[in-house]
Every structure is written in structure tokens, then in C-alpha cells.
Amino acid sequence: MSLLFRSVSSLPMPVSPDRTGQRSSSASSSDAMRQSVVWSSLMLRASVVSLMPVDVFRRVPGGSPANVNPPTVLVEPSSFAEGHPETIADWMFASQLSLDAHGNAFGEITARDSQELPARIELVPAEDVRVRIVRRRIVEYRFGGVVIPARNVWHERQNLTAGVPVGLSPIVHAALAVATSKAAREFSAEWFGGSAIPGSHLKNTAKKLEPAETDAVKARFAQTVRSGEVFVTGSDWTFSPLQAKAAEAGLLEAIRATDLDLCRYFGMAPSMVGVSADGGSSITYQNITQKNLDFLTTYMGPVLKRREDALSTLTARPRFVKLNRSSFLAMDAKTRAELLAARIQSRTLTPDQARMIEDEPALAESDYAQFDRLFGNPNKTTPQKGQA
């Protein structure tokens, strides 16, 4: 029995019907990208992830995790050319952008270390990848038409749905539950039910078919697809979707998505991209720390956890990866000074460590002497009456 090739970037995505009832293919996903809110959301999420240092820890029985040096793949996972390494920040930005836009990030593992763990991962555009699926399992990857063994493929997923081993774009994932337009809702139901297959090319690679045979096969295929049943053929059939990259912009138009809707689809806090909430109301924060903490916890928390779990597979057990969130939790000068002072007072941070956080050198003895002249030495006690 043959299998159907589906472009990962073109997994079930609703298309808005036109007035004649025919499916429109004039729009493309690039149209959706022209939405400033979509672009801002994708760029901000990818930038936040790339900003965080990738720390590697080793679990210590009965003790706190110990920080260890990360493997090469988590420092320079790839290169643009000889002498031009791709840093982990660039790699994380590109892969997060692919995850948020397509629901998948793909890469080819081109080198391994002494423990057979990936040592180099070359990212591949999701649009160039095709996946072959059998019984809800991926059995073949094609990068630009070239079959790549699954062992040599790096595949991260986002916006998963039960029974589908690949991710979905945020808009398609949202369309499963929030298609408010009747036409969009009905088309989504038909698509995901398996009956709304777009225009396609069914090809017999073994022989040339006569017109009568072609009509018979086409009729049988159309009837099977229309009823949602499995289409069974010989081993010489392949299926190549021609219009499966559906128009995300078409769905947005069908449901009349607003800027606020787009923020919800892409997991973005409206205030972070200059969008007002319903009715003009908005959440206010006392300082930038509270704003960043809310965004990091509510919107980015699940994303970061999934990425940490995926990156941990690149390290030898019992090591694991943590993305350093502190780099994003920037505070205003007053709040930061109060926090550092409180930690020094509670003896959880030394003055030198606090100055290191502020990118300042440690205090010298001459500095302490100057403080003593200005404020007095707190270690000296005033002699009591009758004492020397």
C-alpha cells in the first residue's frame, strides 16, 4: 500500500472558499506574515528565546545540580561557512521562528561526538521538508527531495494534536477550535476529517495509463477521499499535494481576525506588541520586572520547557539543559538596587558577586577604606565609660 507525501509546511491548513464555492489559492502564508502583529509576535518570541544563555547542569545525588560545560553543539551548533560559525543564539532564534511559524523545526545531524550524540545540526527550512507517515508514525523524511534517515534528523514540534506526529502552525491549530465563520468552520471540519483534499497530482510511476484507466482511477480516488476512507493502491503510487500549503491569510479573512485575535493565536501578550485589550482596558504593571515576569511565565513558560527537554537530549545523562531566564527579567535600576541590597543584607550574595552582576570589578581594599572614612567602620565598637 502506498503512502501519501505531505509537506510539513502544508499540513492541514484551512482555505477560505470563494463566492463560487471553489477553494481559493490566491492567498499564501506569506500574506499572513505581512500582518505586523504576526511579524512582531514571531520576532519577539524568537528574540526572547535566543537571548537566554543555554546552561547545562549535572544531577548530583543528594545535592544541588552542578553547572558543567555545555557540549559543542550547544555552543556552535552549525556554521554559515568556513570561519563563520553559527552561534547557539542564532540557531535558537532561527529554530524558534520555524517552530512558531510552521509548528516544526528541522535540521540535519551532520556530525556526532564520541558518545554518538549530535555534534552538529544544520537547520533546514520547514518548507523544504516532506514527511511520510504510516499509522501515526513518521517513517521517512525528505529534505529537498532527498531521503534522510530518521536517525540523522533533528525534529522539534509545537502545537501538537492527538494522532499527528508533526506540529501545526498556530493559526491552523487555533482553527480546530475557534473558527467563528461558518464557512471556515465547515471547511476546517472537512479538511481535518480527510474529505477536503486540495487539488493534487496522483501519479503512476510504473506505466503509462490509457484515458479509460486514468478516469477509472481518478473516479475511485475521488470517491474514496470524499467519503473519508483509506485509498489503497499498489506500491508504485505516490501522492504529491500541489495546493496543500493553504492560505493562513485566507482563514484570517474568513474569521475576520483582529489584532487581539492574532495575539491569542501566536501566544503573545497584547501589550508587548502595542495591541490594546478588549474595550480599551489593559493590565498595568508597577515596573518592567512584573511585565516581563508575566510574559515569561504565562506566555513563554511552556515553550521554554519544551525546548529545554528537547535540548537535554543533546547531552549525556544525567545532564540536562536549562535556559537562563534571568537574562530576560531585566529590572529598573531602583528595583535592581533594592534586590541586590536585600540579598547582601540576608547574606545570600556577596558585594563582589553583586558588582559582577552589574558588570563592575570587585571592590579593592582602598575602596573599603574610603567607605570607612565616609560612613564609619561598622566593625569598630565605641568604648564604654571606664574602658580604655
Side-chain angles (χ1 to χ4, degrees):
M1 181 174 68
S2 70
L3 301 172
L4 305 186
F5 287 105
R6 288 191 176 183
S7 171
V8 169
S9 62
S10 56
L11 272 159
M13 292 185 180
V15 183
S16 59
D18 61 19
R19 296 180 181 272
T20 63
Q22 299 297 320
R23 290 184 293 273
S24 172
S25 60
S26 59
S28 66
S29 63
S30 61
D31 295 329
M33 284 293 291
R34 296 190 185 102
Q35 291 275 358
S36 62
V37 174
V38 175
W39 183 87
S40 299
S41 299
L42 295 179
M43 294 297 291
L44 180 57
R45 285 167 61 93
S47 297
V48 167
V49 172
S50 67
L51 180 68
M52 298 179 182
V54 179
D55 296 330
V56 179
F57 296 88
R58 178 172 55 85
R59 290 186 174 87
V60 179
S64 301
N67 196 311
V68 298
N69 293 328
T72 304
V73 70
L74 293 180
V75 179
E76 294 179 359
S78 180
S79 65
F80 298 109
E82 185 176 356
H84 298 269
E86 181 180 18
T87 64
I88 187 61
D90 294 332
W91 192 90
M92 291 291 288
F93 179 92
S95 55
Q96 187 62 45
L97 198 61
S98 181
L99 281 169
D100 286 338
H102 301 280
N104 299 272
F106 295 96
E108 182 178 0
I109 301 173
T110 58
R112 294 183 178 272
D113 59 19
S114 58
Q115 302 184 58
E116 285 300 304
L117 293 173
R120 182 174 291 272
I121 302 176
E122 307 282 350
L123 293 177
V124 178
E127 297 92 339
D128 295 342
V129 179
R130 294 191 176 208
V131 174
R132 193 178 184 183
I133 302 172
V134 178
R135 298 181 184 273
R136 298 175 296 279
R137 288 178 57 85
I138 298 174
V139 297
E140 183 181 89
Y141 290 91
R142 285 180 179 266
F143 289 1
V146 179
V147 177
I148 305 296
R151 182 176 181 272
N152 295 334
V153 173
W154 173 259
H155 184 187
E156 288 187 73
R157 304 161 180 84
Q158 193 167 275
N159 303 325
L160 288 170
T161 186
V164 181
V166 291
L168 301 175
S169 75
I171 295 177
V172 172
H173 196 259
L176 287 170
V178 294
T180 56
S181 165
K182 183 176 183 294
R185 181 172 63 251
E186 290 177 352
F187 188 90
S188 297
E190 290 179 357
W191 185 295
F192 289 100
S195 60
I197 300 297
S200 56
H201 178 203
L202 190 63
K203 179 181 179 181
N204 187 305
T205 59
K207 65 176 183 178
K208 180 179 179 179
L209 298 180
E210 298 298 331
E213 295 177 295
T214 301
D215 292 341
V217 172
K218 183 172 65 174
R220 185 164 66 92
F221 178 77
Q223 178 62 34
T224 303
V225 169
R226 188 178 300 111
S227 62
E229 299 177 356
V230 178
F231 179 64
V232 181
T233 69
S235 60
D236 52 353
W237 290 97
T238 59
F239 180 78
S240 303
L242 299 182
Q243 300 175 5
K245 183 56 181 175
E248 294 182 359
L251 174 64
L252 298 181
E253 181 181 357
I255 65 176
R256 301 184 184 277
T258 64
D259 288 347
L260 189 60
D261 292 329
L262 293 175
C263 288
R264 291 167 177 158
Y265 294 158
F266 285 89
M268 176 55 56
S271 61
M272 299 293 286
V273 291
V275 175
S276 299
D278 288 327
S281 62
S282 60
I283 300 175
T284 58
Y285 303 92
Q286 292 184 358
N287 52 51
I288 190 174
T289 305
Q290 290 185 353
K291 179 180 180 180
N292 290 347
L293 183 61
D294 176 66
F295 174 69
L296 198 63
T297 303
T298 306
Y299 296 92
M300 296 299 296
V303 176
L304 299 177
K305 178 60 169 62
R306 287 193 296 268
R307 299 230 62 182
E308 288 172 344
D309 292 342
L311 296 176
S312 294
T313 63
L314 299 174
T315 64
R317 293 183 180 180
R319 293 173 173 81
F320 62 95
V321 169
K322 292 290 290 183
L323 297 176
N324 194 333
R325 293 155 172 79
S326 299
S327 58
F328 179 72
L329 290 178
M331 297 176 285
D332 58 88
K334 182 176 182 294
T335 304
R336 186 168 62 250
E338 292 174 349
L339 174 62
L340 295 178
R343 293 198 59 186
I344 293 174
Q345 188 68 26
S346 62
R347 292 174 172 77
T348 59
L349 193 73
T350 66
D352 287 347
Q353 290 173 330
R355 291 178 64 82
M356 186 181 301
I357 293 174
E358 295 295 309
D359 296 325
E360 297 178 359
L363 292 172
E365 290 300 324
S366 59
D367 297 324
Y368 286 110
Q370 188 173 13
F371 284 134
D372 292 343
R373 290 198 303 272
L374 292 173
F375 308 109
N377 190 336
N379 296 323
K380 290 183 179 180
T381 58
T382 303
Q384 300 294 322
K385 187 176 181 180
Q387 292 181 343

